[in-house]
Amino acid sequence: MRFARIWFLAAVLALSVPPARAETALLNVSYDPTREFYKEFNTAFAAHWKRAGGDAVRVTMSHGGSGRQSRAVIDGLEADVVTLALGYDIDAIADIRKSLPADWQTRQPNASAPYTSTIVFLVRKGNPKGIRDWGDLAKPGIGVITPNPKTSGGARWNFLAAWAWAEDSFARDDAKVRDYMAALFRNVPVLDTGARGATTTFVRRGLGDVLLSWENEAYLAQQELGRDQFEIVVPSMSILAQPPVALIDANADKHGTRKVAEAYLDYLYAPEGQRLAAKHFYRPIHPEFADPADARRFPKLKLVTLQERFGDWRATQARFFTDGAIFDQIFAKR
Amino acid sequence: MFARAASPRVIPGFGPTLGFTLAYLSLVVLLPLAMIPLKALGLSGAEVLAIVTDARTLHAIGLSFGAALAAAAVNAVLGTLLAWVLVRYDFPARRLVDALIDLPFALPTAVAGISLAALYAPNGWIGERLAPLGLKVAYTPLGIVVALIFVGLPFVVRTVEPVLEALDAEVEEAAATLGASWFAGFRRVVLPLIGPAVLTGFAMALARGIGEYGSVIFIAGNLPMVSEIAPLLIAIRLEEYNDAAAAMIALLMLAAAFALLLTINLLQAWARRRIGG
Amino acid sequence: MRIDIVNAVKTFKGSERPAINGIDMTVGDGELVALLGPSGSGKTTLLRAIAGLETLEAGEIRFDGVNVAGRDTRDRNVGFVFQHYALFRTMTVLDNVGFGLSVRPRASRPSKAEIRARARELIRLVQLEGYEERFPAQLSGGQRQRVALARALAIDPAVLLLDEPFGALDAKVRKDLRRWLRELHDRTGHTTLFVTHDQEEALELADRVAVINAGRLEQIAPPAELYARPATPFVCEFLGSVNRLATPAGAVYVRAHEIELVPPGTPEARAAIVVAVRAAGPRVHVELELAEGGRVEAELLAEDFAATGFTAGSAVGAAIRRTHAF
Amino acid sequence: MTLLAPRRSPLVGESATTRRVLLALALAAIGLFLLLPLATVFAEALSKGWGAYFEGLADPDARAAIRLTLLVAAISVAVNFAFGIAAAWAVTKFDFPGKSLLVTFIDLPFSVSPVIAGLIYVLLFGAHGLIGPWLIAHGVEVIFAVPGIVLATVFVTLPFVARELIPTMEMLGRGDEEVARTLGASGWQIFFRVTLPNVKWAALYGVLLCNARAMGEFGAVSVVSGHLRGQTDTMPLHIEILYNEYNFVAAFAVASLLALMALFTLALKSALEAVTENPGR
């Protein structure tokens, strides 16, 4: 089998070429709607790091549904930092992979969320169905587009925002809240696996009357896909979505990148990081660093936080989103 | 040289080729696939029962099978028609059409899914023509069938073509001399001869359809209990860090796929014996 | 080269009856021997066993006294011509014929030019000059047959084995090739074994004929002896058209042309009635109903039959010149 | 009826109308299920003109994806070609018990869901997998790196060459190899001089299909890739990324490139068939 052996050798040779790692390489594993923001932020950080006397730094990005990304890090994707949609996905990395401490969220200011966002409605131009608030979403004949809370971080924020509004509106009557949620999900014709997929379905495929979306995603969609075709509707209340960031200690130490990775995360809180976040429609935690024109774009609305309403992510996940929990119950009742 | 005397091997290379085949197959296919039952073994009997009787799981598996079955059935008819036309008739661009048949093998499934969704969505080129008829394709189970028809189309065509090509014209002529009409000649003489090939293609399209993921998720709608396919459910279970449940569903699908393929191979062996393929 | 086959036995997997069941025979150096038998009698299996394409479960095959059991087909130096020729369809006639030389180990491989020259020589021998660059698909059956033979001869085999060499050819080509093969054999002197189910072919072509039935050797003898003195009822019945007569002493066999038609009442002749007369070219077959019971067929020249003046319905005497009893 | 002449003696009693109806149906099906999706890809890719189209292809990440795809396809084709030859030789030239089972195992990757194909490699090589921890401890990256992508692609495309060769070699029988043996040829000589020339078109067809599928595989590769831009993104994954960045023109431009490669492959295959149909090749 001389021939086969040659092929085999060739395959081994080809396989053993290590993936190119530049002098200083950082891997940031993130979720879907942060693509544009981190593209610009990485360039800014590289310049900053160089000015500060560091090596040339190249940040590689990996984007995908927040849950899938978390899973990949657990399975061995060697992220130096993760910037995901919700705390639970980083909790899972800490719990299962144990590659960062369980109290990771206390290591950075504002529960490790350098920017926040919220959930708003994107409707078609002129808002033909007259959708103003969460209550309208459960009305018959309204098509609601949201991704699947099982696979999308944004969709979980959508769900919790609707739930919080319903609790307030129905005086915390659990049965009524559930009825409302069931009615809302009856209006959902498609459950995309990620926020981007849902946006595409709504915008490109013309499906549904309203898209439940990250605020930043709604602005971006409007900007990228047609300001004259879509309008943003701000509901009476929503949830403060806090997409957290964290250093994956085990990987950073293995790569010897802890210093630069920590600087990377710190830079998110720095004036330049905050300015870029605002530019990309994320609400900066230090609005004073944002371009005033950017800051003015964020409407004021009543925002509840996860902590005050639902507790931490581990509890919230168990209550609502694990197999057989409230989301599954509501969907079964649909 | 006992082994040699027991089974004469005139042509050399039995040991090396079979050895390489088995080693390669074990390393690339069997060992990795063994992870599925291995992982599913971690479940207790009650957990297994809970998974395999869960309404949503059953619906997803049922949908994957049902849609694949429907698509394979359509492909059996469509594929036979295409094979017939390609083998029997000469028309402009015949070669081009013949080459196009393999496109679904080659086009990335995700691209196919996006294109099909774009075409069949309510505002798509085909979708907007079907909408007035009250027919919704994209984001319904029907959309899944359409995607699976695309994915499985080559199988029946490619299994039936060579059989039709090799078909003895005298057999058809004999039928005609016995007074058979065109349709009777096709149904009574041609169809039984190409039957095993059609069935093989059907089963292959079915086996492929059950597991298809990339092209389906873009057009399916993915609603649990409505348009959620089994592979998507596996992906969801994985993101819930529930590997054992994912492996259990995968095991059910693997078993089904293996049973189907074994049936195909036995069917082919049987057909060879019966009509000397 | 001499070939000894000693008590050869071979049973195929899944079959209860041995395909060859204890065959003993010898093929002398330079001899041309036919293996004759009905289909399924085991003759092809025996031929393949000699080539090493099948392995015996018992018994030995010896080339010049040496047991070749462990010897690979490749090293037996046999020229094998398959029933359907098995020409390499992707090679020209020249490449087909030269193949055996071109795959020799480098040390003993002739140069390219020598191989081509030798192949051309053989192509001339089988009278196919001008066809060197043709592909097998472009040849007639008889031409393919000759290419297969040339290809087998190219390796200068110690023994030539031919499996139904004329089986797939029409009657005219068969006859021509048969004569040509005999001449070729006389010229080259290869020890040759060929398989056939055609008795005429075997009797006309071979030095000796081995009759095989149900995996056993019935008889091996020169054609004339085989015909004159068949050793078993099977051999007798297989060669020519034969009548079986029941006598008090047991069955006897009478060849059709050994029955003479004489006027009724002739002594030593049996009384009979002509039932039917069938003309077959220069000969006629006359079907007789014997007075003692039973039917026999006589065969004689058409002109001889005309001279007797008998027709269907005539009462005649059937004089039996010779019987074979076992 | 030159337009619709039967290629071979038509089924007796088949009228020209029947032929026309059947052909129309067939072409309609081709148009609806094959041509339209293909046309959509090109229409989207060129919706902003040629400039935008080539801009989409010139992006460094797109080029990295193209390079990676070509590398992965080349390795997959090479190893699966070797495997296909060995498997077809073993299966068609010899009889042994369990052959049907072996052929079924060879077919298995056809019908294993891509999600499962990815999953098994995660379960095997992942940080919590069977041998993943050992590999990671020894600094070997398999999953979320090029080797993982290659493995998943090799798995998915494993049957193609074998699947083409087995029926062809089955049909050709063992006669040619036996003759070659009596003429003194060695195993390699038989393979290269006799068998390979007999099955070269089938082998090439298998290689082409294997290659096309290797370049287009999405589901399985998606699971094991890690989606590192410019590092572990193959063309199909890059298409998804571009699509998710609302960069539809670039997404479909890359997709059209894959479609073009596929079409080129298929045209090549078709040309090969034209060659093989000629007598006396």
Side-chain angles (χ1 to χ4, degrees), chain D residues 78-89:
Chain D
V79 295
N80 281 335
F81 180 72
F83 167 75
I85 296 275
W89 189 272

PDB file of all heavy atoms in Angstrom, chain D residues 78-89:
ATOM      1  N   ALA D  78      -8.392  13.459  -1.705  1.00  0.00           N
ATOM      2  CA  ALA D  78      -7.248  12.558  -1.786  1.00  0.00           C
ATOM      3  C   ALA D  78      -7.447  11.327  -0.897  1.00  0.00           C
ATOM      4  O   ALA D  78      -7.302  10.190  -1.356  1.00  0.00           O
ATOM      5  CB  ALA D  78      -5.969  13.299  -1.382  1.00  0.00           C
ATOM      6  N   VAL D  79      -7.809  11.542   0.358  1.00  0.00           N
ATOM      7  CA  VAL D  79      -7.908  10.385   1.252  1.00  0.00           C
ATOM      8  C   VAL D  79      -9.121   9.528   0.891  1.00  0.00           C
ATOM      9  O   VAL D  79      -9.059   8.297   0.939  1.00  0.00           O
ATOM     10  CB  VAL D  79      -7.933  10.782   2.743  1.00  0.00           C
ATOM     11  CG1 VAL D  79      -6.628  11.427   3.145  1.00  0.00           C
ATOM     12  CG2 VAL D  79      -9.095  11.686   3.070  1.00  0.00           C
ATOM     13  N   ASN D  80     -10.219  10.173   0.493  1.00  0.00           N
ATOM     14  CA  ASN D  80     -11.391   9.376   0.149  1.00  0.00           C
ATOM     15  C   ASN D  80     -11.227   8.666  -1.183  1.00  0.00           C
ATOM     16  O   ASN D  80     -11.874   7.652  -1.435  1.00  0.00           O
ATOM     17  CB  ASN D  80     -12.651  10.249   0.148  1.00  0.00           C
ATOM     18  CG  ASN D  80     -13.146  10.494   1.550  1.00  0.00           C
ATOM     19  OD1 ASN D  80     -12.885   9.697   2.447  1.00  0.00           O
ATOM     20  ND2 ASN D  80     -13.838  11.590   1.753  1.00  0.00           N
ATOM     21  N   PHE D  81     -10.361   9.189  -2.032  1.00  0.00           N
ATOM     22  CA  PHE D  81     -10.053   8.490  -3.279  1.00  0.00           C
ATOM     23  C   PHE D  81      -9.297   7.203  -2.952  1.00  0.00           C
ATOM     24  O   PHE D  81      -9.655   6.118  -3.418  1.00  0.00           O
ATOM     25  CB  PHE D  81      -9.215   9.382  -4.191  1.00  0.00           C
ATOM     26  CG  PHE D  81      -8.848   8.741  -5.491  1.00  0.00           C
ATOM     27  CD1 PHE D  81      -9.813   8.538  -6.470  1.00  0.00           C
ATOM     28  CD2 PHE D  81      -7.553   8.324  -5.752  1.00  0.00           C
ATOM     29  CE1 PHE D  81      -9.490   7.937  -7.669  1.00  0.00           C
ATOM     30  CE2 PHE D  81      -7.223   7.724  -6.949  1.00  0.00           C
ATOM     31  CZ  PHE D  81      -8.187   7.531  -7.908  1.00  0.00           C
ATOM     32  N   ALA D  82      -8.269   7.336  -2.114  1.00  0.00           N
ATOM     33  CA  ALA D  82      -7.515   6.147  -1.712  1.00  0.00           C
ATOM     34  C   ALA D  82      -8.446   5.136  -1.055  1.00  0.00           C
ATOM     35  O   ALA D  82      -8.406   3.941  -1.351  1.00  0.00           O
ATOM     36  CB  ALA D  82      -6.388   6.534  -0.756  1.00  0.00           C
ATOM     37  N   PHE D  83      -9.301   5.655  -0.186  1.00  0.00           N
ATOM     38  CA  PHE D  83     -10.230   4.751   0.491  1.00  0.00           C
ATOM     39  C   PHE D  83     -11.181   4.092  -0.513  1.00  0.00           C
ATOM     40  O   PHE D  83     -11.418   2.885  -0.465  1.00  0.00           O
ATOM     41  CB  PHE D  83     -11.044   5.513   1.537  1.00  0.00           C
ATOM     42  CG  PHE D  83     -12.230   4.735   2.041  1.00  0.00           C
ATOM     43  CD1 PHE D  83     -12.057   3.691   2.928  1.00  0.00           C
ATOM     44  CD2 PHE D  83     -13.513   5.036   1.608  1.00  0.00           C
ATOM     45  CE1 PHE D  83     -13.138   2.957   3.370  1.00  0.00           C
ATOM     46  CE2 PHE D  83     -14.600   4.300   2.051  1.00  0.00           C
ATOM     47  CZ  PHE D  83     -14.407   3.264   2.931  1.00  0.00           C
ATOM     48  N   GLY D  84     -11.729   4.910  -1.417  1.00  0.00           N
ATOM     49  CA  GLY D  84     -12.696   4.391  -2.391  1.00  0.00           C
ATOM     50  C   GLY D  84     -12.105   3.266  -3.221  1.00  0.00           C
ATOM     51  O   GLY D  84     -12.744   2.237  -3.457  1.00  0.00           O
ATOM     52  N   ILE D  85     -10.856   3.454  -3.650  1.00  0.00           N
ATOM     53  CA  ILE D  85     -10.188   2.430  -4.458  1.00  0.00           C
ATOM     54  C   ILE D  85     -10.024   1.144  -3.634  1.00  0.00           C
ATOM     55  O   ILE D  85     -10.393   0.053  -4.084  1.00  0.00           O
ATOM     56  CB  ILE D  85      -8.793   2.932  -4.890  1.00  0.00           C
ATOM     57  CG1 ILE D  85      -8.924   4.149  -5.805  1.00  0.00           C
ATOM     58  CG2 ILE D  85      -8.005   1.815  -5.530  1.00  0.00           C
ATOM     59  CD1 ILE D  85      -9.146   3.848  -7.245  1.00  0.00           C
ATOM     60  N   ALA D  86      -9.499   1.297  -2.431  1.00  0.00           N
ATOM     61  CA  ALA D  86      -9.256   0.111  -1.597  1.00  0.00           C
ATOM     62  C   ALA D  86     -10.571  -0.595  -1.298  1.00  0.00           C
ATOM     63  O   ALA D  86     -10.676  -1.824  -1.417  1.00  0.00           O
ATOM     64  CB  ALA D  86      -8.555   0.512  -0.299  1.00  0.00           C
ATOM     65  N   ALA D  87     -11.593   0.187  -0.930  1.00  0.00           N
ATOM     66  CA  ALA D  87     -12.870  -0.430  -0.558  1.00  0.00           C
ATOM     67  C   ALA D  87     -13.492  -1.136  -1.756  1.00  0.00           C
ATOM     68  O   ALA D  87     -13.954  -2.275  -1.653  1.00  0.00           O
ATOM     69  CB  ALA D  87     -13.816   0.641  -0.014  1.00  0.00           C
ATOM     70  N   ALA D  88     -13.458  -0.474  -2.919  1.00  0.00           N
ATOM     71  CA  ALA D  88     -14.073  -1.080  -4.103  1.00  0.00           C
ATOM     72  C   ALA D  88     -13.324  -2.347  -4.495  1.00  0.00           C
ATOM     73  O   ALA D  88     -13.928  -3.348  -4.885  1.00  0.00           O
ATOM     74  CB  ALA D  88     -14.082  -0.081  -5.259  1.00  0.00           C
ATOM     75  N   TRP D  89     -12.015  -2.315  -4.360  1.00  0.00           N
ATOM     76  CA  TRP D  89     -11.203  -3.502  -4.689  1.00  0.00           C
ATOM     77  C   TRP D  89     -11.582  -4.658  -3.765  1.00  0.00           C
ATOM     78  O   TRP D  89     -11.865  -5.770  -4.217  1.00  0.00           O
ATOM     79  CB  TRP D  89      -9.722  -3.162  -4.545  1.00  0.00           C
ATOM     80  CG  TRP D  89      -8.786  -4.224  -5.059  1.00  0.00           C
ATOM     81  CD1 TRP D  89      -8.315  -5.275  -4.364  1.00  0.00           C
ATOM     82  CD2 TRP D  89      -8.245  -4.330  -6.374  1.00  0.00           C
ATOM     83  NE1 TRP D  89      -7.493  -6.038  -5.154  1.00  0.00           N
ATOM     84  CE2 TRP D  89      -7.425  -5.484  -6.401  1.00  0.00           C
ATOM     85  CE3 TRP D  89      -8.362  -3.571  -7.530  1.00  0.00           C
ATOM     86  CZ2 TRP D  89      -6.734  -5.881  -7.542  1.00  0.00           C
ATOM     87  CZ3 TRP D  89      -7.663  -3.978  -8.666  1.00  0.00           C
ATOM     88  CH2 TRP D  89      -6.875  -5.113  -8.659  1.00  0.00           C
TER      89      TRP D  89
END
